Amino acid sequence: MNTESPTEVRATSDPRALRDALATFTTGVTIVTTRDAEGAPFGVTVNSFNSVSLEPPLVLWSLAKTSRSLEAFQRAEHWAVHILSTEQDALSTRFARAGENKFEGIELESGIQDMPLLPRCTTRLQCRTSFRYEGGDHIIFVGQVVAFDRSDRAPLVFHGGKYAVATRKTPPLTLAPPEGAPIDSRFDDEFLGYLLWRASQQFHLRVQRTLAARELTQEEFFVLIPLFHNDGRSAAAFCSTLADLGLGAATSAIDRLAARRLIRIEPDTRRLFLTPTGHDEILQVLAMTKAIESECLGQLGHWESVSLKNLLKQFIVQTNPGLPHPWDAEEAEPQA
Amino acid sequence: MNTESPTEVRATSDPRALRDALATFTTGVTIVTTRDAEGAPFGVTVNSFNSVSLEPPLVLWSLAKTSRSLEAFQRAEHWAVHILSTEQDALSTRFARAGENKFEGIELESGIQDMPLLPRCTTRLQCRTSFRYEGGDHIIFVGQVVAFDRSDRAPLVFHGGKYAVATRKTPPLTLAPPEGAPIDSRFDDEFLGYLLWRASQQFHLRVQRTLAARELTQEEFFVLIPLFHNDGRSAAAFCSTLADLGLGAATSAIDRLAARRLIRIEPDTRRLFLTPTGHDEILQVLAMTKAIESECLGQLGHWESVSLKNLLKQFIVQTNPGLPHPWDAEEAEPQA
């Protein structure tokens, strides 16, 4: 045994540490399905999948000898591997549990020899068993791919024991400073506050042009969207919610929208309602902003877009000091 | 063959399409090493690795029958699997190529039976061959893990044929609309414009509190930072740059900063200079914003932070309609 190694080399007598070490190998997530002799569908979540050979096209995966599905797969001539998409983590969790009703409510498609095919996956591989090999407490199934189909859905990833999304690794990307600029100008290119602000600005400057063409301001836009989801809100509480989010100009925006009859302020209660005209207006605006979003996401790339949204959500959740959600119906009563 | 499937099911006669479909299964990246009978080290990059069994602890990987390293691995009693870290993509590329000098310049450590161990990996598994199985144009090696060690380096990922980094997937429920909310309220939770705006707001509301304590506005902050990097800028051109970025209130911010003697406007040329007081002030403010950034990134997690910054930069570069960089020395002359 090497004594110079800076890390502690462990024997395999610590199964938990070994399991954690093995889990540092990232994988996709698949569900493998088949039918038994009576036609009942079987399916298990598997991340021990991999491709083996291209000529002939072979793939492999392993199944625990204790699995309730073992007999069905042992006897099956065919099985189908579904490489899951980022939206199928709940499906993965469902098929990872032992249970009778895994297929309940799923609209199965039908493959070769009526193999049960799950919808909305990234890739599906229909396979014929080539070999079954001994693998300790598992059986290794090797099969030949006989048909396949794929979508452009981003694949789900299993990373360090958790569901994950993957993003292309790019060389460190410098946003600016010209040759010879002082070292500390790197502060800003790497400064998260600048990156968030600038990315948001680039998006919203486009939106603002669209809004300006319809004589709407950004504040008015941010008033109309929450009302589109929940109207009948109290003007005072709503303004307080928006002010907490840094939109201090909501009161005057509400007055302007009321003057244009896009919203209606109920005189007694001071509650806000979208008018039919306002409803049509916001539908048009949402369609236009959706088009801007599509264009931006197209420029960024599909898989990167999934990751960016995911990370922004995580950032919002992790750093939220308790700010309200602007289109929640419940809102804090305004501070007197 | 199923005719109802919405996606086109393909036969395997299109090897390139099949390879692309198989590549949608994400994997980590490993290098497997051994020594031949003469003691020469061999190593190959492998992503067809997976764990098979826990009791006994077995792992597997596949090697092309055409590989120059095949004979060494066929004869070896032991081999070592190195799960690579995100910083080892160049090493992965080196060991993926056929070549004589793969180990040149690498300070090898020594494992069981003098197995060549590479430094700075995420995880290393020293294994004894258990089985060698037929796998089409590959041989499947199954081995028992006899020793292992790991670091906390983030693992490298291979995703869609490219090196990638993986980040934890955020459950959708965190930002989801309340029960019974209309379907289209999902528009906003998933709307990039909202996510960018909200993430930026959460960050800058913290910054604004810090700024307010020093009686500075956000506009004044955005005037001071570029001057910190390049002063001597023409007031008119600088205001035009900032206005292009959506900071229309720069002129009054400049006047207020001059009145507080944080900046100085040269009377003849109308060029702007940071005063020594202004220089000290911005140093303090930058230190405070840097502390806010550290806190936010700590809440998000290290690897998520690296990815978020990377994706925001990509977004900024890809969707930039030609906006100026605020601390570039060169700036467009203002429109007359």
Side-chain angles (χ1 to χ4, degrees), chain A residues 2 110 188 190 229 313, chain B residues 2 110 170 188 190 229 313:
Chain A
N2 167 40
S110 172
D188 301 275
E190 282 298 320
H229 294 304
K313 284 188 209 172
Chain B
N2 167 39
S110 172
T170 304
D188 301 275
E190 282 298 322
H229 293 305
K313 286 185 204 175

Side-chain angles (χ1 to χ4, degrees), chain A residues 114-155:
Chain A
D114 200 28
M115 248 188 299
L117 297 184
L118 306 169
R120 290 183 288 280
C121 300
T122 296
T123 297
R124 301 189 295 198
L125 305 159
Q126 301 185 49
C127 305
R128 186 173 54 233
T129 305
S130 301
F131 309 104
R132 283 184 292 270
Y133 290 134
E134 165 63 26
D137 58 22
H138 281 59
I139 299 287
I140 302 164
F141 288 84
V142 181
Q144 179 160 349
V145 183
V146 289
F148 67 99
D149 63 291
R150 64 174 289 204
S151 70
D152 56 6
R153 293 181 177 87

Side-chain angles (χ1 to χ4, degrees), chain B residues 102-160:
Chain B
K102 291 178 176 182
F103 289 90
E104 196 174 305
I106 299 175
E107 276 191 51
L108 289 177
E109 298 166 25
S110 172
I112 292 166
Q113 291 194 340
D114 199 28
M115 249 188 298
L117 297 182
L118 306 169
R120 289 183 288 281
C121 300
T122 297
T123 297
R124 301 188 295 197
L125 306 159
Q126 301 184 50
C127 305
R128 187 173 52 235
T129 305
S130 301
F131 310 104
R132 283 185 291 270
Y133 290 134
E134 165 62 27
D137 58 21
H138 281 59
I139 299 287
I140 302 164
F141 288 84
V142 181
Q144 179 160 350
V145 183
V146 290
F148 68 99
D149 63 292
R150 64 175 288 206
S151 70
D152 55 7
R153 293 181 178 88
L156 183 61
V157 172
F158 199 62
H159 182 70

